Amino acid sequence: LVPAAAISQSKKAPEIPAAARKAGMAQAPAVVQLAGLSCPVSDARLIGEDKKSKTSYFEVACAPGTMGYVLQKPAEGAVVAYSCIEANTPPAPGQPPSAPCCVPP
């Protein structure tokens, strides 16, 4: 039997498309500021956009040693921030997280 820690270490982090990282780094710092977070953005990616609701989703990595976030920015209204701990938590046992953090801290 292989320990779970060994299995999880062997999984490669998903590749982040260059366009997603470029869009994230261009837009996410302003979204972090709108959210009122104390997060010097070290890396970011655009997770995606819901064209119907005009909501954008970003992941940001903050300065080393600090928490990263998944941000939900609607066209109108306040930005919602989820810590990477929340984002990496599955919605139910046996299900994968819906928007896990994958940008290296």
Side-chain angles (χ1 to χ4, degrees):
L1 295 175
V2 178
I7 293 170
S8 65
Q9 287 179 356
S10 66
K11 291 183 181 179
K12 185 179 175 188
E15 291 290 325
I16 300 170
R21 184 167 266 140
K22 183 177 179 181
M25 286 301 292
Q27 300 173 49
V31 178
V32 166
Q33 196 170 34
L34 284 173
L37 298 172
S38 175
C39 169
V41 177
S42 61
D43 201 354
R45 72 179 173 114
L46 173 64
I47 296 171
E49 299 171 307
D50 181 340
K51 303 230 184 274
K52 186 175 180 181
S53 68
K54 298 183 180 174
T55 299
S56 299
Y57 299 88
F58 299 92
E59 177 191 352
V60 296
C62 302
T66 59
M67 178 70 61
Y69 296 93
V70 171
L71 306 171
Q72 178 181 341
K73 183 190 177 293
E76 296 180 19
V79 174
V80 179
Y82 301 94
S83 72
C84 281
I85 293 171
E86 293 170 304
N88 290 342
T89 302
Q95 293 182 346
S98 55
C101 291
C102 60
V103 173

